[in-house]
Amino acid sequence: MITRKVLAVFAIACGVLTAATVPAQAAAENFCHQSLDTGKVECFDTEAALRNYEAGVQSITLVTMFNGYGAKGASGYRNFASAYGRDYCTLPADGHEGSSGDLRQERYNTGVALDRTISSVVVRPGVNCVLWLADDFGFRGNTVILVGGTCADLRTCTGGGNWDNRARSFYFT
Ligand SMILES: [Ca+2]
């Protein structure tokens, strides 16, 4: 009698466990993050895991570079975020909130290198970022400064001469 009773309880317990496990699996990986820069999707079992992942992702674009005029993405764009994961700049505490000393190493979404191809830029307004373009590698050469907003045509919008297809390095701070 005792043995039968124990088995019956065990069977019920298994049934409950199985029933509880199925919905848990169906709900798994429902919390997803998609990068607007790369299209890459990362999914997690819990919201807490997603938040933990997002805390380490530099997904907030502060500066966007475009190969074409008008800050339009059709001929290629590239987003840059803070190296510190912030959604603002902290001039002058951190000199390079984001940067590239060699734009041959940076690519638009089209695969074309940014070196001497940038024709328009957007510096996210309201986040205290200032963009410095340099016409040589390593932030050297001539430089020009752009504050928050859209520079739709680097031939004219800098106030510092023609910067179309000229920048070879940059930083924002
Ligand atoms: Ca261009």
Side-chain angles (χ1 to χ4, degrees), residues 66-68 108 116-119 164-165:
F66 299 87
N67 193 346
Y108 300 108
R116 286 181 168 169
T117 62
I118 300 166
S119 292
D164 187 29
N165 299 334

Side-chain angles (χ1 to χ4, degrees), residues 2 21 34 41 56 64 89-90 98 102-103 128 148-149 151 159:
I2 293 171
T21 302
Q34 180 169 20
V41 177
T64 306
C89 292
T90 58
D102 183 349
L103 284 171
N128 200 38
C151 171

